[in-house]
Amino acid sequence: MIVSFVQTKGGTGKSTLSLNIAFSRIVLDRFQTVALVELDPQGTLQAWWKERESEGRDLSRVSFHHISSTQKEVVQEGISAIASHNEVLILDVPGESTSKLHTKFACAFSDKVIIPMRTSTNDESAFKHNLLPMIKELIRLSPEKIGNFYVLPSFTNAQANREKIIDYFKDILPDYIYCLSAVFPSRSVYENFNRDGMHIREYSDSLVNNKRAYAQTKKAVEDIELIAEAIFNTTE
């Protein structure tokens, strides 16, 4: 199974989501072998993984792979090789303003494409003019891809009504793009959890003696688990 986090613009939380979903309880309990795959040439997750290695953190449950090539055949062969040894692949796809090679690949080969998007005119416009035409063309050529695409409302106010946000997206999205039954709230912890190669749950556990900070980070851990549950339990 391949799950990709895709958005043609940067700064939408794709890397934060992909690495934490890969280490979520939902994923680790369901799959024996999990691969976190970064397609971004900038190597944000690669740098994080190297730090994780240097800190001696657990590398046994999730493997990491970085494919930076811009050649379609190389990307396809790399993903196929990783998929042959893992039950689930979580792909972090870079924001791309030009050729969109990695975005097109992820949309074509993933079982589920998760699209983080804010309730903002900028995000909606970027989706409408960049990603949606690509999805339309893919579905035209491969109708069986209908049902593979899900928007994840992102950077939502932590106090906002989740149902209202989801209903908002359901109203504006075409009927072949679904909205997940979870949201990705805006929390300050997402800015600093990954220090020393940690994922969100490890960071939360490191603060167990700080009652206030621990309580705040536990909310972020719950966010990730709810999103993972929505992704892997979704049937449309």
Side-chain angles (χ1 to χ4, degrees), residues 134-153:
M134 194 184 309
I135 295 173
K136 282 183 177 179
E137 178 63 11
L138 177 61
I139 290 175
R140 186 185 69 81
L141 296 173
S142 304
E144 70 275 10
K145 294 294 181 181
I146 291 178
N148 286 16
F149 301 93
Y150 296 82
V151 161
L152 170 63

mmCIF file with all atom_site columns, all heavy atoms in Angstrom, residues 134-153:
data_model
loop_
_atom_site.group_PDB
_atom_site.id
_atom_site.type_symbol
_atom_site.label_atom_id
_atom_site.label_alt_id
_atom_site.label_comp_id
_atom_site.label_asym_id
_atom_site.label_entity_id
_atom_site.label_seq_id
_atom_site.pdbx_PDB_ins_code
_atom_site.Cartn_x
_atom_site.Cartn_y
_atom_site.Cartn_z
_atom_site.occupancy
_atom_site.B_iso_or_equiv
_atom_site.pdbx_formal_charge
_atom_site.auth_seq_id
_atom_site.auth_comp_id
_atom_site.auth_asym_id
_atom_site.auth_atom_id
_atom_site.pdbx_PDB_model_num
ATOM 1   N N   . MET A 1 134 ? -4.470  18.046 -12.799 1.00 0.00 ? 134 MET A N   1
ATOM 2   C CA  . MET A 1 134 ? -3.678  16.826 -12.867 1.00 0.00 ? 134 MET A CA  1
ATOM 3   C C   . MET A 1 134 ? -4.518  15.615 -12.455 1.00 0.00 ? 134 MET A C   1
ATOM 4   O O   . MET A 1 134 ? -4.487  14.557 -13.105 1.00 0.00 ? 134 MET A O   1
ATOM 5   C CB  . MET A 1 134 ? -2.471  16.981 -11.935 1.00 0.00 ? 134 MET A CB  1
ATOM 6   C CG  . MET A 1 134 ? -1.371  15.970 -12.121 1.00 0.00 ? 134 MET A CG  1
ATOM 7   S SD  . MET A 1 134 ? -0.076  16.228 -10.881 1.00 0.00 ? 134 MET A SD  1
ATOM 8   C CE  . MET A 1 134 ? 0.243   17.982 -11.093 1.00 0.00 ? 134 MET A CE  1
ATOM 9   N N   . ILE A 1 135 ? -5.284  15.783 -11.376 1.00 0.00 ? 135 ILE A N   1
ATOM 10  C CA  . ILE A 1 135 ? -6.137  14.699 -10.888 1.00 0.00 ? 135 ILE A CA  1
ATOM 11  C C   . ILE A 1 135 ? -7.237  14.401 -11.902 1.00 0.00 ? 135 ILE A C   1
ATOM 12  O O   . ILE A 1 135 ? -7.543  13.234 -12.185 1.00 0.00 ? 135 ILE A O   1
ATOM 13  C CB  . ILE A 1 135 ? -6.737  15.070 -9.516  1.00 0.00 ? 135 ILE A CB  1
ATOM 14  C CG1 . ILE A 1 135 ? -5.620  15.180 -8.466  1.00 0.00 ? 135 ILE A CG1 1
ATOM 15  C CG2 . ILE A 1 135 ? -7.785  14.047 -9.088  1.00 0.00 ? 135 ILE A CG2 1
ATOM 16  C CD1 . ILE A 1 135 ? -6.086  15.712 -7.131  1.00 0.00 ? 135 ILE A CD1 1
ATOM 17  N N   . LYS A 1 136 ? -7.832  15.434 -12.467 1.00 0.00 ? 136 LYS A N   1
ATOM 18  C CA  . LYS A 1 136 ? -8.881  15.253 -13.485 1.00 0.00 ? 136 LYS A CA  1
ATOM 19  C C   . LYS A 1 136 ? -8.372  14.423 -14.658 1.00 0.00 ? 136 LYS A C   1
ATOM 20  O O   . LYS A 1 136 ? -9.049  13.494 -15.130 1.00 0.00 ? 136 LYS A O   1
ATOM 21  C CB  . LYS A 1 136 ? -9.362  16.613 -13.994 1.00 0.00 ? 136 LYS A CB  1
ATOM 22  C CG  . LYS A 1 136 ? -10.319 17.346 -13.089 1.00 0.00 ? 136 LYS A CG  1
ATOM 23  C CD  . LYS A 1 136 ? -10.757 18.644 -13.776 1.00 0.00 ? 136 LYS A CD  1
ATOM 24  C CE  . LYS A 1 136 ? -11.774 19.407 -12.951 1.00 0.00 ? 136 LYS A CE  1
ATOM 25  N NZ  . LYS A 1 136 ? -12.190 20.667 -13.603 1.00 0.00 ? 136 LYS A NZ  1
ATOM 26  N N   . GLU A 1 137 ? -7.191  14.773 -15.144 1.00 0.00 ? 137 GLU A N   1
ATOM 27  C CA  . GLU A 1 137 ? -6.629  14.069 -16.290 1.00 0.00 ? 137 GLU A CA  1
ATOM 28  C C   . GLU A 1 137 ? -6.311  12.621 -15.937 1.00 0.00 ? 137 GLU A C   1
ATOM 29  O O   . GLU A 1 137 ? -6.546  11.703 -16.739 1.00 0.00 ? 137 GLU A O   1
ATOM 30  C CB  . GLU A 1 137 ? -5.367  14.788 -16.779 1.00 0.00 ? 137 GLU A CB  1
ATOM 31  C CG  . GLU A 1 137 ? -4.655  14.129 -17.954 1.00 0.00 ? 137 GLU A CG  1
ATOM 32  C CD  . GLU A 1 137 ? -5.508  14.070 -19.218 1.00 0.00 ? 137 GLU A CD  1
ATOM 33  O OE1 . GLU A 1 137 ? -6.576  14.710 -19.275 1.00 0.00 ? 137 GLU A OE1 1
ATOM 34  O OE2 . GLU A 1 137 ? -5.090  13.370 -20.166 1.00 0.00 ? 137 GLU A OE2 1
ATOM 35  N N   . LEU A 1 138 ? -5.793  12.407 -14.745 1.00 0.00 ? 138 LEU A N   1
ATOM 36  C CA  . LEU A 1 138 ? -5.470  11.046 -14.308 1.00 0.00 ? 138 LEU A CA  1
ATOM 37  C C   . LEU A 1 138 ? -6.732  10.186 -14.228 1.00 0.00 ? 138 LEU A C   1
ATOM 38  O O   . LEU A 1 138 ? -6.745  9.039  -14.698 1.00 0.00 ? 138 LEU A O   1
ATOM 39  C CB  . LEU A 1 138 ? -4.768  11.083 -12.950 1.00 0.00 ? 138 LEU A CB  1
ATOM 40  C CG  . LEU A 1 138 ? -4.421  9.722  -12.334 1.00 0.00 ? 138 LEU A CG  1
ATOM 41  C CD1 . LEU A 1 138 ? -3.464  8.950  -13.234 1.00 0.00 ? 138 LEU A CD1 1
ATOM 42  C CD2 . LEU A 1 138 ? -3.830  9.904  -10.946 1.00 0.00 ? 138 LEU A CD2 1
ATOM 43  N N   . ILE A 1 139 ? -7.794  10.748 -13.666 1.00 0.00 ? 139 ILE A N   1
ATOM 44  C CA  . ILE A 1 139 ? -9.048  10.001 -13.553 1.00 0.00 ? 139 ILE A CA  1
ATOM 45  C C   . ILE A 1 139 ? -9.661  9.758  -14.933 1.00 0.00 ? 139 ILE A C   1
ATOM 46  O O   . ILE A 1 139 ? -10.265 8.705  -15.179 1.00 0.00 ? 139 ILE A O   1
ATOM 47  C CB  . ILE A 1 139 ? -10.030 10.752 -12.625 1.00 0.00 ? 139 ILE A CB  1
ATOM 48  C CG1 . ILE A 1 139 ? -9.515  10.687 -11.183 1.00 0.00 ? 139 ILE A CG1 1
ATOM 49  C CG2 . ILE A 1 139 ? -11.435 10.162 -12.718 1.00 0.00 ? 139 ILE A CG2 1
ATOM 50  C CD1 . ILE A 1 139 ? -10.339 11.489 -10.194 1.00 0.00 ? 139 ILE A CD1 1
ATOM 51  N N   . ARG A 1 140 ? -9.497  10.712 -15.841 1.00 0.00 ? 140 ARG A N   1
ATOM 52  C CA  . ARG A 1 140 ? -10.003 10.515 -17.199 1.00 0.00 ? 140 ARG A CA  1
ATOM 53  C C   . ARG A 1 140 ? -9.313  9.326  -17.854 1.00 0.00 ? 140 ARG A C   1
ATOM 54  O O   . ARG A 1 140 ? -9.963  8.507  -18.531 1.00 0.00 ? 140 ARG A O   1
ATOM 55  C CB  . ARG A 1 140 ? -9.764  11.772 -18.048 1.00 0.00 ? 140 ARG A CB  1
ATOM 56  C CG  . ARG A 1 140 ? -10.388 11.713 -19.433 1.00 0.00 ? 140 ARG A CG  1
ATOM 57  C CD  . ARG A 1 140 ? -10.014 12.930 -20.267 1.00 0.00 ? 140 ARG A CD  1
ATOM 58  N NE  . ARG A 1 140 ? -8.607  12.932 -20.638 1.00 0.00 ? 140 ARG A NE  1
ATOM 59  C CZ  . ARG A 1 140 ? -8.102  12.231 -21.675 1.00 0.00 ? 140 ARG A CZ  1
ATOM 60  N NH1 . ARG A 1 140 ? -8.897  11.481 -22.417 1.00 0.00 ? 140 ARG A NH1 1
ATOM 61  N NH2 . ARG A 1 140 ? -6.808  12.309 -21.952 1.00 0.00 ? 140 ARG A NH2 1
ATOM 62  N N   . LEU A 1 141 ? -8.010  9.211  -17.638 1.00 0.00 ? 141 LEU A N   1
ATOM 63  C CA  . LEU A 1 141 ? -7.245  8.118  -18.238 1.00 0.00 ? 141 LEU A CA  1
ATOM 64  C C   . LEU A 1 141 ? -7.397  6.808  -17.470 1.00 0.00 ? 141 LEU A C   1
ATOM 65  O O   . LEU A 1 141 ? -7.340  5.724  -18.059 1.00 0.00 ? 141 LEU A O   1
ATOM 66  C CB  . LEU A 1 141 ? -5.759  8.504  -18.302 1.00 0.00 ? 141 LEU A CB  1
ATOM 67  C CG  . LEU A 1 141 ? -5.412  9.701  -19.191 1.00 0.00 ? 141 LEU A CG  1
ATOM 68  C CD1 . LEU A 1 141 ? -3.946  10.088 -19.023 1.00 0.00 ? 141 LEU A CD1 1
ATOM 69  C CD2 . LEU A 1 141 ? -5.716  9.390  -20.652 1.00 0.00 ? 141 LEU A CD2 1
ATOM 70  N N   . SER A 1 142 ? -7.576  6.925  -16.137 1.00 0.00 ? 142 SER A N   1
ATOM 71  C CA  . SER A 1 142 ? -7.683  5.728  -15.288 1.00 0.00 ? 142 SER A CA  1
ATOM 72  C C   . SER A 1 142 ? -8.841  5.917  -14.314 1.00 0.00 ? 142 SER A C   1
ATOM 73  O O   . SER A 1 142 ? -8.641  6.329  -13.163 1.00 0.00 ? 142 SER A O   1
ATOM 74  C CB  . SER A 1 142 ? -6.376  5.511  -14.520 1.00 0.00 ? 142 SER A CB  1
ATOM 75  O OG  . SER A 1 142 ? -5.270  5.419  -15.389 1.00 0.00 ? 142 SER A OG  1
ATOM 76  N N   . PRO A 1 143 ? -10.067 5.643  -14.752 1.00 0.00 ? 143 PRO A N   1
ATOM 77  C CA  . PRO A 1 143 ? -11.258 5.862  -13.908 1.00 0.00 ? 143 PRO A CA  1
ATOM 78  C C   . PRO A 1 143 ? -11.206 5.131  -12.570 1.00 0.00 ? 143 PRO A C   1
ATOM 79  O O   . PRO A 1 143 ? -11.865 5.549  -11.616 1.00 0.00 ? 143 PRO A O   1
ATOM 80  C CB  . PRO A 1 143 ? -12.404 5.335  -14.781 1.00 0.00 ? 143 PRO A CB  1
ATOM 81  C CG  . PRO A 1 143 ? -11.892 5.455  -16.184 1.00 0.00 ? 143 PRO A CG  1
ATOM 82  C CD  . PRO A 1 143 ? -10.429 5.165  -16.102 1.00 0.00 ? 143 PRO A CD  1
ATOM 83  N N   . GLU A 1 144 ? -10.442 4.060  -12.495 1.00 0.00 ? 144 GLU A N   1
ATOM 84  C CA  . GLU A 1 144 ? -10.346 3.317  -11.235 1.00 0.00 ? 144 GLU A CA  1
ATOM 85  C C   . GLU A 1 144 ? -9.654  4.121  -10.131 1.00 0.00 ? 144 GLU A C   1
ATOM 86  O O   . GLU A 1 144 ? -9.693  3.737  -8.948  1.00 0.00 ? 144 GLU A O   1
ATOM 87  C CB  . GLU A 1 144 ? -9.595  1.998  -11.448 1.00 0.00 ? 144 GLU A CB  1
ATOM 88  C CG  . GLU A 1 144 ? -8.107  2.113  -11.727 1.00 0.00 ? 144 GLU A CG  1
ATOM 89  C CD  . GLU A 1 144 ? -7.778  2.357  -13.197 1.00 0.00 ? 144 GLU A CD  1
ATOM 90  O OE1 . GLU A 1 144 ? -8.722  2.629  -13.982 1.00 0.00 ? 144 GLU A OE1 1
ATOM 91  O OE2 . GLU A 1 144 ? -6.586  2.304  -13.554 1.00 0.00 ? 144 GLU A OE2 1
ATOM 92  N N   . LYS A 1 145 ? -9.049  5.248  -10.504 1.00 0.00 ? 145 LYS A N   1
ATOM 93  C CA  . LYS A 1 145 ? -8.389  6.102  -9.512  1.00 0.00 ? 145 LYS A CA  1
ATOM 94  C C   . LYS A 1 145 ? -9.388  6.946  -8.718  1.00 0.00 ? 145 LYS A C   1
ATOM 95  O O   . LYS A 1 145 ? -9.016  7.565  -7.714  1.00 0.00 ? 145 LYS A O   1
ATOM 96  C CB  . LYS A 1 145 ? -7.380  7.024  -10.199 1.00 0.00 ? 145 LYS A CB  1
ATOM 97  C CG  . LYS A 1 145 ? -6.194  6.299  -10.821 1.00 0.00 ? 145 LYS A CG  1
ATOM 98  C CD  . LYS A 1 145 ? -5.325  5.639  -9.775  1.00 0.00 ? 145 LYS A CD  1
ATOM 99  C CE  . LYS A 1 145 ? -4.126  4.946  -10.394 1.00 0.00 ? 145 LYS A CE  1
ATOM 100 N NZ  . LYS A 1 145 ? -3.292  4.269  -9.364  1.00 0.00 ? 145 LYS A NZ  1
ATOM 101 N N   . ILE A 1 146 ? -10.640 6.979  -9.154  1.00 0.00 ? 146 ILE A N   1
ATOM 102 C CA  . ILE A 1 146 ? -11.657 7.701  -8.376  1.00 0.00 ? 146 ILE A CA  1
ATOM 103 C C   . ILE A 1 146 ? -11.730 7.100  -6.984  1.00 0.00 ? 146 ILE A C   1
ATOM 104 O O   . ILE A 1 146 ? -11.806 5.887  -6.812  1.00 0.00 ? 146 ILE A O   1
ATOM 105 C CB  . ILE A 1 146 ? -13.034 7.612  -9.075  1.00 0.00 ? 146 ILE A CB  1
ATOM 106 C CG1 . ILE A 1 146 ? -13.040 8.410  -10.379 1.00 0.00 ? 146 ILE A CG1 1
ATOM 107 C CG2 . ILE A 1 146 ? -14.140 8.113  -8.154  1.00 0.00 ? 146 ILE A CG2 1
ATOM 108 C CD1 . ILE A 1 146 ? -14.341 8.329  -11.147 1.00 0.00 ? 146 ILE A CD1 1
ATOM 109 N N   . GLY A 1 147 ? -11.713 7.935  -5.984  1.00 0.00 ? 147 GLY A N   1
ATOM 110 C CA  . GLY A 1 147 ? -11.747 7.460  -4.604  1.00 0.00 ? 147 GLY A CA  1
ATOM 111 C C   . GLY A 1 147 ? -10.392 7.431  -3.938  1.00 0.00 ? 147 GLY A C   1
ATOM 112 O O   . GLY A 1 147 ? -10.291 7.093  -2.757  1.00 0.00 ? 147 GLY A O   1
ATOM 113 N N   . ASN A 1 148 ? -9.336  7.806  -4.680  1.00 0.00 ? 148 ASN A N   1
ATOM 114 C CA  . ASN A 1 148 ? -7.979  7.780  -4.125  1.00 0.00 ? 148 ASN A CA  1
ATOM 115 C C   . ASN A 1 148 ? -7.541  9.093  -3.499  1.00 0.00 ? 148 ASN A C   1
ATOM 116 O O   . ASN A 1 148 ? -6.498  9.146  -2.844  1.00 0.00 ? 148 ASN A O   1
ATOM 117 C CB  . ASN A 1 148 ? -6.967  7.425  -5.220  1.00 0.00 ? 148 ASN A CB  1
ATOM 118 C CG  . ASN A 1 148 ? -7.016  5.962  -5.614  1.00 0.00 ? 148 ASN A CG  1
ATOM 119 O OD1 . ASN A 1 148 ? -7.967  5.264  -5.306  1.00 0.00 ? 148 ASN A OD1 1
ATOM 120 N ND2 . ASN A 1 148 ? -5.998  5.504  -6.318  1.00 0.00 ? 148 ASN A ND2 1
ATOM 121 N N   . PHE A 1 149 ? -8.328  10.154 -3.666  1.00 0.00 ? 149 PHE A N   1
ATOM 122 C CA  . PHE A 1 149 ? -7.857  11.497 -3.316  1.00 0.00 ? 149 PHE A CA  1
ATOM 123 C C   . PHE A 1 149 ? -8.650  12.085 -2.147  1.00 0.00 ? 149 PHE A C   1
ATOM 124 O O   . PHE A 1 149 ? -9.882  12.162 -2.194  1.00 0.00 ? 149 PHE A O   1
ATOM 125 C CB  . PHE A 1 149 ? -7.943  12.407 -4.540  1.00 0.00 ? 149 PHE A CB  1
ATOM 126 C CG  . PHE A 1 149 ? -7.133  11.891 -5.699  1.00 0.00 ? 149 PHE A CG  1
ATOM 127 C CD1 . PHE A 1 149 ? -7.726  11.086 -6.677  1.00 0.00 ? 149 PHE A CD1 1
ATOM 128 C CD2 . PHE A 1 149 ? -5.787  12.159 -5.794  1.00 0.00 ? 149 PHE A CD2 1
ATOM 129 C CE1 . PHE A 1 149 ? -6.985  10.590 -7.734  1.00 0.00 ? 149 PHE A CE1 1
ATOM 130 C CE2 . PHE A 1 149 ? -5.025  11.663 -6.857  1.00 0.00 ? 149 PHE A CE2 1
ATOM 131 C CZ  . PHE A 1 149 ? -5.632  10.874 -7.821  1.00 0.00 ? 149 PHE A CZ  1
ATOM 132 N N   . TYR A 1 150 ? -7.912  12.544 -1.123  1.00 0.00 ? 150 TYR A N   1
ATOM 133 C CA  . TYR A 1 150 ? -8.528  13.043 0.108   1.00 0.00 ? 150 TYR A CA  1
ATOM 134 C C   . TYR A 1 150 ? -7.856  14.342 0.549   1.00 0.00 ? 150 TYR A C   1
ATOM 135 O O   . TYR A 1 150 ? -6.627  14.392 0.705   1.00 0.00 ? 150 TYR A O   1
ATOM 136 C CB  . TYR A 1 150 ? -8.380  12.022 1.242   1.00 0.00 ? 150 TYR A CB  1
ATOM 137 C CG  . TYR A 1 150 ? -9.094  10.719 0.998   1.00 0.00 ? 150 TYR A CG  1
ATOM 138 C CD1 . TYR A 1 150 ? -8.511  9.721  0.218   1.00 0.00 ? 150 TYR A CD1 1
ATOM 139 C CD2 . TYR A 1 150 ? -10.350 10.467 1.552   1.00 0.00 ? 150 TYR A CD2 1
ATOM 140 C CE1 . TYR A 1 150 ? -9.158  8.517  -0.015  1.00 0.00 ? 150 TYR A CE1 1
ATOM 141 C CE2 . TYR A 1 150 ? -11.002 9.262  1.338   1.00 0.00 ? 150 TYR A CE2 1
ATOM 142 C CZ  . TYR A 1 150 ? -10.402 8.299  0.550   1.00 0.00 ? 150 TYR A CZ  1
ATOM 143 O OH  . TYR A 1 150 ? -11.049 7.105  0.327   1.00 0.00 ? 150 TYR A OH  1
ATOM 144 N N   . VAL A 1 151 ? -8.652  15.353 0.780   1.00 0.00 ? 151 VAL A N   1
ATOM 145 C CA  . VAL A 1 151 ? -8.137  16.581 1.377   1.00 0.00 ? 151 VAL A CA  1
ATOM 146 C C   . VAL A 1 151 ? -8.080  16.409 2.896   1.00 0.00 ? 151 VAL A C   1
ATOM 147 O O   . VAL A 1 151 ? -8.998  15.839 3.507   1.00 0.00 ? 151 VAL A O   1
ATOM 148 C CB  . VAL A 1 151 ? -9.029  17.783 1.009   1.00 0.00 ? 151 VAL A CB  1
ATOM 149 C CG1 . VAL A 1 151 ? -8.803  18.968 1.954   1.00 0.00 ? 151 VAL A CG1 1
ATOM 150 C CG2 . VAL A 1 151 ? -8.750  18.215 -0.427  1.00 0.00 ? 151 VAL A CG2 1
ATOM 151 N N   . LEU A 1 152 ? -6.999  16.877 3.487   1.00 0.00 ? 152 LEU A N   1
ATOM 152 C CA  . LEU A 1 152 ? -6.868  16.933 4.937   1.00 0.00 ? 152 LEU A CA  1
ATOM 153 C C   . LEU A 1 152 ? -6.851  18.401 5.349   1.00 0.00 ? 152 LEU A C   1
ATOM 154 O O   . LEU A 1 152 ? -5.887  19.104 5.049   1.00 0.00 ? 152 LEU A O   1
ATOM 155 C CB  . LEU A 1 152 ? -5.582  16.250 5.409   1.00 0.00 ? 152 LEU A CB  1
ATOM 156 C CG  . LEU A 1 152 ? -5.218  16.444 6.885   1.00 0.00 ? 152 LEU A CG  1
ATOM 157 C CD1 . LEU A 1 152 ? -6.283  15.834 7.800   1.00 0.00 ? 152 LEU A CD1 1
ATOM 158 C CD2 . LEU A 1 152 ? -3.848  15.858 7.190   1.00 0.00 ? 152 LEU A CD2 1
ATOM 159 N N   . PRO A 1 153 ? -7.905  18.917 5.973   1.00 0.00 ? 153 PRO A N   1
ATOM 160 C CA  . PRO A 1 153 ? -7.880  20.311 6.438   1.00 0.00 ? 153 PRO A CA  1
ATOM 161 C C   . PRO A 1 153 ? -6.690  20.526 7.371   1.00 0.00 ? 153 PRO A C   1
ATOM 162 O O   . PRO A 1 153 ? -6.534  19.798 8.362   1.00 0.00 ? 153 PRO A O   1
ATOM 163 C CB  . PRO A 1 153 ? -9.215  20.447 7.183   1.00 0.00 ? 153 PRO A CB  1
ATOM 164 C CG  . PRO A 1 153 ? -10.095 19.399 6.576   1.00 0.00 ? 153 PRO A CG  1
ATOM 165 C CD  . PRO A 1 153 ? -9.183  18.247 6.287   1.00 0.00 ? 153 PRO A CD  1
#
